[in-house]
């Protein structure tokens, strides 16, 4: 990034007197400190201002009142990476890649559970099964599901891989989430309840603590999972679903709001594993 800025300054496209005018365009690089919550735009802006990285209540949105109270556009690196292609091939040609509102390419990150892990770029709408079984070569060991879109993404059972395409509409229509398309394999040997505990624990650690549904719900959920796995107390399914609903609709951002999706996916697609740890329904 520093080299690119230096090239722009040398070309007269940044710095003082841009393109022979009296205008100045300057860049400032601020290095993040690894806080997961700063993936949420208002927490990121608070962090840049030197304040506690907490999520703000919206409205106002950053486009009207953002960094230092000024209108601010916040985009991720994948969006910026597409700018060159849009200029090079033109917007109309770029938009022909993809499906529906999902246009252009998609970066997909595959973890070590694949034969050929790594970062791939595919056009939106690319068959998910071709990504998994052809580009990535399938799995090194037995995998029961894929978590797609990060720790708060949907949990896709392997039986559904051939039903999906790499675009936002396809995943949403099937009850999942494409998100940033980071893909992690869940081993056959791992209980989905143990994985749910991991997700609750992750959220508890990374929560900024501002809203009770995320701050408290993640801890209570982790306790429920741990008690069940240790054989101390089975899970009241109605209470669990109530907790997930509270987090989904009451959290200020997608950290607490996104956690319920993979757990609800696992309840739907792996009921036999949950049954071992759920209380029997009262008659």
């Amino acid at each position: 990034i520093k080299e690119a800025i230096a090239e722009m300054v040398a070309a007269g496209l940044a710095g003082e007197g841009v393109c022979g005018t009296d205008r100045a365009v300057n860049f400032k690089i601020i290095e993040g400190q690894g806080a997961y919550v700063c993936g949420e735009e208002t927490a990121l802006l608070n962090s840049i201002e030197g304040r506690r990285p907490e999520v703000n209540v919206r409205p106002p949105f950053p486009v009207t009142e953002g960094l230092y109270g000024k209108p601010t556009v916040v985009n991720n690196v994948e969006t910026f990476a597409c700018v060159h292609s849009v200029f090079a091939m033109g917007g109309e040609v770029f938009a022909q890649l993809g499906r529906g509102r999902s246009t252009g390419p998609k970066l997909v990150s595959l973890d070590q559970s694949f034969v050929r892990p790594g970062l791939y770029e595919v056009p939106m709408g690319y068959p998910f099964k071709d990504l998994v079984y052809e580009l990535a070569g399938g799995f090194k060991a037995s995998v029961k599901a894929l978590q797609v879109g990060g720790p708060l993404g949907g949990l896709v059972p392997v039986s559904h891989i051939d039903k999906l395409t790499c675009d936002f509409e396809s995943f949403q229509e099937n009850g999942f989430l494409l998100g940033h398309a980071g893909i992690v394999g869940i081993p056959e040997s791992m209980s989905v309840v143990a994985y749910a505990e991991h997700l609750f624990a992750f959220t508890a650690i990374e929560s900024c603590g501002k809203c009770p549904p995320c701050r408290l719900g993640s801890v209570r959920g982790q306790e429920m999972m741990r008690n069940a796995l240790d054989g101390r107390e089975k899970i009241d399914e109605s209470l669990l679903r109530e907790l997930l609903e509270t987090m989904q609709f009451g959290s200020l951002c997608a950290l607490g709001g996104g956690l319920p999706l993979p757990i609800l996916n696992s309840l739907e697609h792996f009921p036999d594993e949950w049954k071992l740890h759920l209380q029997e329904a009262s008659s």
Side-chain angles (χ1 to χ4, degrees), residues 169-251:
E169 287 90 345
S170 173
F171 273 74
Q172 184 176 21
E173 290 164 4
N174 285 276
F176 307 116
L177 177 74
L178 180 62
H180 59 55
I183 303 177
V184 175
I186 310 303
E188 190 68 51
S189 59
M190 186 174 195
S191 161
V192 293
V193 180
Y195 196 66
E197 184 201 15
H198 166 72
L199 296 178
F200 275 119
F202 174 85
T203 304
I205 291 171
E206 297 294 348
S207 175
C208 76
K210 187 167 185 176
C211 69
C214 179
R215 181 181 72 245
L216 302 178
S218 56
V219 176
R220 296 289 85 82
Q222 183 184 3
E223 289 174 349
M224 290 173 69
M225 300 303 108
R226 180 40 47 195
N227 286 338
L229 290 167
D230 288 346
R232 288 193 293 266
E233 182 180 8
K234 289 195 173 185
I235 299 165
D236 181 336
E237 184 177 355
S238 62
L239 183 61
L240 173 60
R241 290 186 179 274
E242 183 178 329
L243 173 64
L244 294 173
E245 183 179 9
T246 301
M247 295 185 70
Q248 182 178 2
F249 296 106
S251 297

Side-chain angles (χ1 to χ4, degrees), residues 109-115 117 128 132 136 138-151 154-158 161 181-192 195 198-199 270:
S109 179
L110 307 177
D111 81 340
Q112 294 294 323
S113 61
F114 294 89
V115 174
F128 194 49
V132 171
F139 305 109
K140 291 179 181 176
S142 184
V143 168
K144 70 169 67 175
L146 298 173
Q147 182 149 24
V148 183
L155 195 67
V156 180
V158 291
I161 289 175
I183 303 177
V184 175
I186 310 303
E188 190 68 51
S189 59
M190 186 174 195
S191 161
V192 293
Y195 196 66
H198 166 72
L199 296 178
F270 299 95

Side-chain angles (χ1 to χ4, degrees), residues 63-135:
V63 289
T64 56
E65 187 177 323
L67 190 66
Y68 301 112
K70 304 295 184 181
T72 306
V73 175
V74 182
N75 283 315
N76 62 38
V77 67
E78 188 174 12
T79 300
F80 287 125
C82 290
V83 172
H84 175 81
S85 296
V86 172
F87 277 107
M89 65 177 63
E92 291 184 4
V93 176
F94 183 87
Q96 290 175 6
L97 295 172
R99 168 182 181 257
R101 295 178 61 193
S102 301
T103 59
K106 188 75 182 101
L107 294 174
V108 184
S109 179
L110 307 177
D111 81 340
Q112 294 294 323
S113 61
F114 294 89
V115 174
R116 291 189 291 273
L119 187 65
Y120 293 81
E121 185 178 33
V122 297
M124 286 282 196
Y126 191 80
F128 194 49
K129 63 180 177 59
D130 291 350
L131 170 68
V132 171
Y133 295 113
E134 293 186 16
L135 294 183

